[in-house]
Amino acid sequence: AQSVTQLDSHVSVSEGTPVLLRCNYSSSYSPSLFWYVQHPNKGLQLLLKYTSAATLVKGINGFEAEFKKSETSFHLTKPSAHMSDAAEYFCVVSGRSGTYKYIFGTGTRLKVLA
Amino acid sequence: GAGVSQSPRYKVAKRGQDVALRCDPISGHVSLFWYQQALGQGPEFLTYFQNEAQLDKSGLPSDRFFAERPEGSVSTLKIQRTQQEDSAVYLCASSLAEESYNEQFFGPGTRLTVL
């Protein structure tokens, strides 16, 4: 079975400061991991994905994530927050479960303060 | 090219009514998924198609939910005798192939409100 846990339901940062959104996963086999962003009234957009290549993954808009197998973590980071980063972020796991369906975390709402 | 489109974007139904939600995936995408997103929650898997074959419907919450993709492109999610607990955003996603590392592209969703 696969699952993903997002450790913070809400995160607030000041503009220009670093962002850290935490995600832990559970999987019986080598997973694929994704981070998606959802802005209000907009569709889910892929930020980045890990598929067993490099453990440090760079995505769009300056985001990156590091796959740490020993810690079963896939935390999302950004060096400097921008007001436009305010949104809901979802960590997702997928794997060789037959249908490659996504298993979503419960989401982290990022608030960026001016 | 166009992304995944869904219609209607908003649907209000009285309890007991039947509804049909449409998904137009990206042209050429083999895989199609439906998810249900309740307020304040992450999306949850409902069902999966590979071309016209429905290979997994384990996430459908009851036999009132039915999905089809008869020609391997457009898909319809039907909910019969809607209940208040069916109120949610229904998301459709498509993917070029079936491998787990393939990105799923999501539509904007249909927000269903059952009164």
Side-chain angles (χ1 to χ4, degrees), chain A residues 92-109:
Chain A
V92 178
V93 64
S94 179
R96 295 193 301 275
S97 61
T99 63
Y100 309 106
K101 62 189 177 187
Y102 278 2
I103 306 297
F104 285 80
T106 51
T108 298
R109 181 163 298 277

Side-chain angles (χ1 to χ4, degrees), chain A residues 18-103:
Chain A
V19 175
L20 170 64
L21 305 183
R22 298 182 295 165
C23 173
N24 286 111
Y25 71 91
S26 174
S27 180
S28 303
Y29 32 72
S30 181
S32 293
L33 293 160
F34 308 79
W35 275 99
Y36 278 80
V37 62
Q38 187 175 42
H39 287 94
N41 299 316
K42 292 194 174 181
L44 288 158
Q45 180 185 18
L46 179 70
L47 284 177
L48 50 80
K49 65 180 180 182
Y50 165 78
T51 58
S52 76
T55 56
L56 182 62
V57 181
K58 294 187 183 298
I60 62 171
N61 300 336
F63 285 95
E64 63 181 40
E66 186 172 7
F67 174 74
K68 292 187 177 181
K69 186 176 180 179
S70 61
E71 299 177 8
T72 61
S73 69
F74 189 59
H75 301 334
L76 182 70
T77 61
K78 183 173 180 177
S80 176
H82 191 272
M83 295 297 289
S84 61
D85 295 328
E88 188 88 20
Y89 291 79
F90 292 98
C91 183
V92 178
V93 64
S94 179
R96 295 193 301 275
S97 61
T99 63
Y100 309 106
K101 62 189 177 187
Y102 278 2
I103 306 297

Side-chain angles (χ1 to χ4, degrees), chain B residues 23-32 49-54 68-76 94-95:
Chain B
C23 172
D24 283 85
I26 294 172
S27 179
H29 277 198
V30 168
S31 299
L32 186 144
F49 290 86
Q50 183 180 330
N51 295 306
E52 69 277 5
Q54 188 176 20
E68 60 183 6
R69 193 186 185 198
E71 298 179 355
S73 57
V74 171
S75 177
T76 304
S94 70
S95 180

